[in-house]
Amino acid sequence: MTASAHATPTAPAKFPRSLLRKPSDDAAARVFCFPYSGVGASMFNRWPRMIGDVEICPVQLPARENRFREAHYGTYQDLAKNLADELLPYLDRPAVFFGHCAGSLPAFETALRLAELGGPMPREVVVSAQVAPQDCPKDRFLDMTDEALGAELSELVVARGGEAHPMLIELTLHVLHQDLDANRVYHRPEPVRLPSAVTALTWSEDPEIEPAELTGWQEWSEQVTFTELPGAHYAFLNAPAELTRLLHSLALPGAPLPALAVSSPAEGHH
């Protein structure tokens, strides 16, 4: 069945736990934002709810924040099966999936699962600072000690404007270990063509990922664009105008871009 032939289910009255809030019926398009390893949807708390007529929809994964009592999702493929079913009713208008670092992988897997189901599909899957599936696993966290991971998490909490309380770091480490287990076993040696376009982002001051390391994404879609944005690895946390304008243009091609102030890049290097 083609994506255009697939009938999108009516959005349910009660939205799924994988979304922080019920998507608006008034939005012209939606951007679903996937968090990366060890954290939840609150990592997008500095993002606006709307970019013009495009709604930002943070995705919440099990075993963290308001879902901390739920079992971990296991693998990205298992997670994608659930997310595809839960997001399907909200793909009734143009959509973009956005993931940064390891968050790119469940975003991609969810799009791949939707393709297997016959759609509907996001217009674009935006993968930021993340190598393609055939080059996975690649994450410097995989070989770190708990002490080093705790230091990195503390830095991230501060970069997001919070305080690194030891109990918070301990709880986050528990989730991070499970997320890293999912990352550690993720690998797709044989690329398939995703119906959606793919935009692979790098950041000008990110020491972790070189643009050449993302070229593997060209095997996964007929339309792949490589783009570099200004900032360090955590710059996306502040929803910089360069990123939000890009997401708006991908969700609503040709629509006037909203006037947005340029945010200061967040510090940090994971």
Side-chain angles (χ1 to χ4, degrees), residues 208-220:
E208 292 190 37
I209 296 289
E210 296 292 333
E213 295 180 87
L214 270 63
T215 56
W217 284 106
Q218 64 193 354
E219 303 295 328
W220 295 90

Side-chain angles (χ1 to χ4, degrees), residues 36 99-106 127-130 138-139 208 233 270:
Y36 57 70
H100 178 79
C101 200
S104 302
L105 301 176
V127 293
S128 172
Q130 174 58 52
K138 183 186 186 300
D139 190 319
E208 292 190 37
H233 195 78
H270 169 54

Side-chain angles (χ1 to χ4, degrees), residues 11-260:
K14 185 177 181 180
F15 65 97
R17 291 179 64 80
S18 58
L19 295 175
L20 280 188
R21 52 184 177 254
K22 187 178 188 300
S24 170
D25 292 332
D26 298 327
R30 296 176 177 132
V31 176
F32 294 92
C33 298
F34 293 70
Y36 57 70
S37 298
V39 295
S42 68
M43 71 180 302
F44 297 104
N45 61 4
R46 292 186 179 180
W47 284 48
R49 180 157 185 169
M50 302 290 297
I51 307 170
D53 292 331
V54 178
E55 184 177 18
I56 299 300
C57 300
V59 175
Q60 186 66 288
L61 307 185
R64 68 212 67 214
E65 296 182 350
N66 63 311
R67 303 184 68 184
F68 77 97
R69 294 185 185 278
E70 298 179 38
H72 193 266
Y73 54 80
T75 67
Y76 293 146
Q77 291 90 336
D78 288 338
L79 173 62
K81 291 177 183 178
N82 292 327
L83 286 178
D85 289 340
E86 292 184 348
L87 298 184
L88 190 61
Y90 305 102
L91 299 176
D92 58 343
R93 63 204 66 196
V96 171
F97 286 0
F98 171 80
H100 178 79
C101 200
S104 302
L105 301 176
F108 168 77
E109 280 294 325
T110 302
L112 195 59
R113 176 62 177 171
L114 287 165
E116 293 171 352
L117 294 173
M121 299 294 299
R123 281 185 170 173
E124 196 98 15
V125 178
V126 180
V127 293
S128 172
Q130 174 58 52
V131 300
Q134 71 271 30
D135 299 319
C136 290
K138 183 186 186 300
D139 190 319
R140 68 189 181 89
F141 276 16
L142 293 175
D143 298 318
M144 280 188 175
T145 64
D146 278 4
E147 182 179 2
L149 287 172
E152 289 280 347
L153 290 173
S154 297
E155 182 181 354
L156 174 58
V157 169
V158 172
R160 293 167 59 194
E163 286 189 48
H165 295 292
M167 184 175 295
L168 171 64
I169 299 304
E170 184 178 349
L171 289 172
T172 306
L173 267 176
H174 178 69
V175 176
L176 178 57
H177 279 303
Q178 295 177 87
D179 289 356
L180 290 178
D181 285 343
N183 188 293
R184 191 172 282 110
V185 299
Y186 182 73
H187 180 73
R188 280 187 176 270
E190 299 297 331
V192 296
R193 293 291 185 177
L194 190 69
S196 304
V198 170
T199 292
L201 298 182
T202 51
W203 298 83
S204 62
E205 299 172 35
D206 185 354
E208 292 190 37
I209 296 289
E210 296 292 333
E213 295 180 87
L214 270 63
T215 56
W217 284 106
Q218 64 193 354
E219 303 295 328
W220 295 90
S221 173
E222 295 292 342
Q223 182 180 341
V224 180
T225 303
F226 298 93
T227 301
E228 183 177 272
L229 297 180
H233 195 78
Y234 284 141
F236 79 99
L237 288 173
N238 287 337
E242 296 87 354
L243 175 58
T244 51
R245 286 181 178 139
L246 172 64
L247 295 173
H248 183 279
S249 66
L250 294 175
L252 294 175
L257 292 173
L260 297 167

